[in-house]
Amino acid sequence: MAGMLYKDFLLTRKDLAAYALLLLAMGVVVGQGAVGATLLLGLMALYCSGVASALFTYDAKVHWPPYGACTPGGRARLVGGRYLYALVVLAGGVLAVGGMLLALSAMGRLSMELADALRALAACAAAALAINAFLLPALFLLGDWGRVLFVLVVVVLFVLLLVSLFAEERLGGVFRLLPVALLLLLAAGLFALSWRLTLRLYRHKEL
């Protein structure tokens, strides 16, 4: 499994560096008061939803799935490695943006209450988990059609996420009404179910 994670990291290291720089630049813009923290949170969710999915394009170019299926771990390692990498990327994004929020709050540059910002960050993490839970099976099982679905779903969910985050910042305390811990648990359960279902179906797919 470590080998699969390292392979995926090597393929996406430039993307990760670019996303990190963009998030850092957005954090600076938020600190200057030009935009609210909502855009930073939304971009984090979008980037973390897309990194693992982008790997399917790289794999298709070199016809990796048939070769990967012949490795000792077989198809289970292909599926597990991709899902686990999505989790690692999301954890890194949440920690990075959470650190930015704490720093901005300490400097008095955060446009919303820190507690509300952290709740919104948790909701964004749940949204990213849910997006991956739907998109990874589509990409594993549908190929090019899965990529079309990926674009459509990400655009729709990203717009909905920004609307909810805008409401949180403007109206205040929207996410206090939502059990964010429950959202995280539901998203995690959906992600685990997606992992299990994809593994079962992918074992019978012709590569």
Side-chain angles (χ1 to χ4, degrees):
M1 190 68 73
M4 293 291 182
L5 293 176
Y6 185 60
K7 175 193 79 72
D8 288 349
F9 169 73
L10 291 178
L11 288 174
T12 58
R13 64 188 187 279
K14 292 183 179 179
D15 294 334
L16 291 173
Y19 292 157
L21 289 175
L22 287 172
L23 288 176
L24 181 60
M26 185 57 61
V28 173
V29 174
V30 170
Q32 296 299 319
V35 296
T38 55
L39 188 57
L40 175 64
L41 298 175
L43 287 176
M44 184 278 298
L46 178 64
Y47 293 157
C48 291
S49 301
V51 170
S53 300
L55 285 164
F56 288 88
T57 301
Y58 296 123
D59 288 348
K61 289 180 180 179
V62 297
H63 307 288
W64 165 249
Y67 296 103
C70 296
T71 59
R75 300 188 184 204
R77 183 167 293 183
L78 283 177
V79 174
R82 191 56 46 85
Y83 272 81
L84 188 56
Y85 190 68
L87 284 178
V88 170
V89 170
L90 178 58
V94 169
L95 288 175
V97 173
M100 290 184 195
L101 293 176
L102 291 173
L104 290 171
S105 178
M107 294 184 294
R109 298 282 188 172
L110 195 59
S111 60
M112 55 199 301
E113 293 294 330
L114 178 61
D116 292 335
L118 293 178
R119 289 189 189 94
L121 176 61
C124 286
L129 268 181
I131 290 172
N132 275 315
F134 284 107
L135 293 180
L136 289 176
L139 291 167
F140 268 113
L141 302 173
L142 300 179
D144 292 335
W145 284 107
R147 294 184 182 89
V148 174
L149 179 63
F150 166 74
V151 174
L152 294 176
V153 170
V154 165
V155 169
V156 172
L157 291 182
F158 183 61
V159 171
L160 293 176
L161 183 61
L162 282 183
V163 169
S164 62
L165 290 172
F166 179 80
E168 165 67 21
E169 186 172 14
R170 295 298 180 184
L171 303 179
V174 171
F175 283 109
R176 293 178 188 173
L177 304 177
L178 298 175
V180 177
L182 179 60
L183 288 179
L184 284 171
L185 287 175
L186 289 175
L190 183 63
F191 189 84
L193 180 63
S194 170
W195 187 337
R196 185 176 182 85
L197 180 62
T198 301
L199 179 57
R200 176 173 296 182
L201 296 176
Y202 193 66
R203 283 174 175 166
H204 303 290
K205 181 183 177 182
E206 182 178 354
L207 299 179

